[in-house]
Amino acid sequence: MPQRPRIGLALGSGSAKGLAHLGVLRVLEQHSIPIDYIAGSSIGAVIGAYYAQNPTINALEELVYKLSERNLTSVLDLSIKGGLIKGNKIETLLRETLKTDSFDSLQIPFAAVATDLTNADSVSFTRGDLIKALRASSAIPGFLRSIEYDGRFLADGGLSNPVPVDVVRAMGADIVIAVNSLANSEPLD
């Protein structure tokens, strides 16, 4: 019997618009479309990591609902240097809610994409400290402070690779479902 094609999911950047990824995941589950690999930039990395850890949309939606009820200003540690928010409290929240800091403990192979600020190259993380990789991937310059990790100064993955199709292909995906929450809603000419 032939093996089915391996399916990868590339979740793009897009700040709050990235919550649209939840709807995509719900539809994929409703149609029993399996996900073999996930790569994400910025909010796509955060949502991708949670889904890779526990691949059920109900659990992820419940977490997002609980977080929306929480006073999110409690995770904002204001700064006057390098960005409006330091990000330490965000890292703590990620550690508490993901309950892991290891890529190895995820159920679906996952890559977080960040941008190296010294040369603007895209950097993909598939091992190491998962929380630091997520923090780097979502560090919006001027807003959320960039971080030094793995010998590099890193910021938001959306700066260099907003929808990491190439990353999920390199992971082994035969078919890639790409989600771009920043796509222009205007019809293409």
Side-chain angles (χ1 to χ4, degrees), residues 102-107 126-127:
S102 171
F103 282 87
D104 294 335
S105 66
L106 302 177
Q107 293 185 42
T126 57
R127 64 178 65 98

Side-chain angles (χ1 to χ4, degrees), residues 109 130 142 181:
L130 174 63
S181 61

Side-chain angles (χ1 to χ4, degrees), residues 28-181:
L28 293 173
E29 274 191 19
Q30 287 171 343
H31 292 282
S32 300
I33 298 172
I35 302 300
D36 300 298
Y37 308 99
I38 301 173
S41 289
S42 196
I43 187 68
V46 173
I47 289 173
Y50 280 100
Y51 193 78
Q53 179 198 33
N54 184 5
T56 61
I57 190 59
N58 290 338
L60 183 53
E61 286 176 339
E62 183 178 319
L63 175 66
V64 169
Y65 179 73
K66 284 180 183 175
L67 290 176
S68 67
E69 286 184 328
R70 184 176 179 171
N71 181 359
L72 289 182
T73 58
S74 67
V75 297
L76 302 180
D77 44 358
L78 298 180
S79 169
I80 57 170
K81 179 182 169 188
L84 183 61
I85 299 169
K86 291 179 195 173
N88 298 336
K89 291 182 178 181
I90 291 173
E91 276 189 43
T92 300
L93 175 66
L94 288 169
R95 281 190 204 288
E96 289 172 357
T97 55
L98 266 170
K99 297 179 177 71
T100 185
D101 61 359
S102 171
F103 282 87
D104 294 335
S105 66
L106 302 177
Q107 293 185 42
I108 299 172
F110 170 73
V113 178
T115 301
D116 185 332
L117 291 177
T118 60
N119 56 21
D121 285 346
S122 177
V123 180
S124 300
F125 293 97
T126 57
R127 64 178 65 98
D129 187 329
L130 174 63
I131 303 305
K132 290 287 186 191
L134 292 176
R135 173 69 178 76
S137 181
S138 57
I140 302 166
F143 180 69
L144 182 57
R145 186 184 291 175
S146 58
I147 69 167
E148 184 177 0
Y149 176 61
D150 200 31
R152 298 178 168 130
F153 288 99
L154 301 168
D156 197 294
L159 296 171
S160 60
N161 197 347
V163 185
V165 171
D166 59 327
V167 174
V168 81
R169 278 209 191 279
M171 294 171 77
D174 300 308
I175 297 171
V176 176
I177 299 168
V179 185
N180 183 357
S181 61

